[in-house]
Amino acid sequence: MSSEKVHVEHCKGVNGLDKVILREIRRCSAEVYLYGGQVTSWKNAHGEELLFVSSKASFRPPRAIRGGIPICFPQLKSTGSLEQYGFARNRIWSIDLDPPPSPSDISHKAFVDLILTHSEEDMKIWPHRYDCRLRVALGPTGDLMLTSRIRNTNTDGKSFTFRFAYQTYFFVTDISEVRVEGLETLDYLDNLKNGERFTEQEDAITFESEVDKVYLSTPTKIAILDHERKRTFELRKDGLPDAVVWNPWDKKAKSMADFGDNEYMHMLCVEAACVEEPITLKPGEEWKGRQEISAVPSSYCSEQLDPRRLLLSG
């Protein structure tokens, strides 16, 4: 039966935009729009949606899609002269038919490789030649893996510098019942206080108001515990030293045109990112970053493993 299963399907999505549906044998699935190279859905074997996409999200270029996993490149926030999160999330990506080999992913049949390269239009605002490649893959147990490779293809001998993030919007049942573990005792920059630097004093991050923090030099594993759903998201990352934690809360949510007034209660952004120290590539050099997320019953952590030991084990 597995040999007959359609693991990768190319079809049309909202407003006729091209998308790719990935399916694994256990009925886990993911959807990726070529617009933005953006994952907009990730479902487990029970068909439950694990990512948040706003009911008011615009699937109309050039506005970015609010939710899922936007790719932020080559800029984050106001760290440069470009739009807030760079241009990768509102460009049409192509399917990469000749991707570089990824030996670790050989066993995965449900994957797609996308590529974004410089355009003459983009070079007017960011004068560099590059290849930005993205592999989105579903593991056999439904884990969602994103691997990015960025290469400097400048022919003028110039290096370039960039920042990067997977701006992952997790769907949570009730934000007031969510805890993030693995970031305690770390330094962070508080974007609500002009980027001032602080040290996290709490045993876990909980939510009762707006949060917009950049945690620095973070571990490779972070856990997001959704107590209401008895579910834990495990985020594992490589090549992305920082982690952004964001929820707009009620006041900011009402000011966002593409975000429902009360939707802040059902989402949390935890972003594997490179924020504090930008990446510099010389011509011909390549950077690689990776994020893998899985969803497991919270009882798995609490009954069999101490969550902190789990986080520190990798």
Side-chain angles (χ1 to χ4, degrees), residues 126-194:
W126 200 65
H128 301 291
R129 297 177 182 272
Y130 65 90
D131 281 346
C132 182
R133 297 172 185 266
L134 170 68
R135 168 167 287 196
V136 181
L138 270 180
T141 58
D143 293 4
L144 180 64
M145 292 162 282
L146 283 76
T147 305
S148 292
R149 296 167 181 262
I150 296 170
R151 179 178 289 273
N152 181 339
T153 59
N154 274 336
T155 55
D156 57 6
K158 290 184 179 177
S159 301
F160 64 65
T161 297
F162 66 93
R163 288 177 169 87
F164 186 95
Y166 293 122
Q167 194 177 39
T168 306
Y169 287 73
F170 291 96
F171 175 80
V172 297
T173 316
D174 179 353
I175 187 63
S176 64
E177 297 291 326
V178 170
R179 292 165 58 93
V180 177
E181 298 185 353
L183 303 176
E184 50 274 8
T185 74
L186 298 182
D187 283 2
Y188 66 87
L189 309 177
D190 193 336
N191 287 326
L192 301 181
K193 297 181 179 177
N194 298 315

Side-chain angles (χ1 to χ4, degrees), residues 125-279:
I125 57 172
W126 200 65
H128 301 291
R129 297 177 182 272
Y130 65 90
D131 281 346
C132 182
R133 297 172 185 266
L134 170 68
R135 168 167 287 196
V136 181
L138 270 180
T141 58
D143 293 4
L144 180 64
M145 292 162 282
L146 283 76
T147 305
S148 292
R149 296 167 181 262
I150 296 170
R151 179 178 289 273
N152 181 339
T153 59
N154 274 336
T155 55
D156 57 6
K158 290 184 179 177
S159 301
F160 64 65
T161 297
F162 66 93
R163 288 177 169 87
F164 186 95
Y166 293 122
Q167 194 177 39
T168 306
Y169 287 73
F170 291 96
F171 175 80
V172 297
T173 316
D174 179 353
I175 187 63
S176 64
E177 297 291 326
V178 170
R179 292 165 58 93
V180 177
E181 298 185 353
L183 303 176
E184 50 274 8
T185 74
L186 298 182
D187 283 2
Y188 66 87
L189 309 177
D190 193 336
N191 287 326
L192 301 181
K193 297 181 179 177
N194 298 315
E196 278 188 64
R197 192 179 187 116
F198 299 91
T199 301
E200 183 58 64
Q201 304 294 331
E202 302 299 327
D203 291 338
I205 302 167
T206 56
F207 302 89
E208 52 189 26
S209 60
E210 182 182 357
V211 173
D212 189 353
K213 297 176 179 178
V214 181
Y215 288 84
L216 308 173
S217 302
T218 58
T220 56
K221 293 183 182 181
I222 300 169
I224 300 116
L225 285 71
D226 183 346
H227 289 296
E228 193 86 4
R229 190 61 59 95
K230 294 184 171 61
R231 173 186 292 148
T232 296
F233 293 106
E234 294 177 6
L235 186 156
R236 298 173 292 281
K237 58 191 181 66
D238 185 50
L240 295 158
D242 306 319
V244 180
V245 179
W246 177 70
N247 183 290
W249 220 251
D250 55 347
K251 187 176 179 182
K252 185 164 285 185
K254 290 176 182 175
S255 71
M256 296 158 62
D258 59 350
F259 196 92
D261 288 358
N262 296 314
E263 287 184 330
Y264 73 92
M265 297 172 63
H266 307 298
M267 60 73 66
L268 176 64
C269 271
V270 179
E271 309 170 25
C274 183
V275 182
E276 187 180 38
E277 293 292 334
I279 300 149

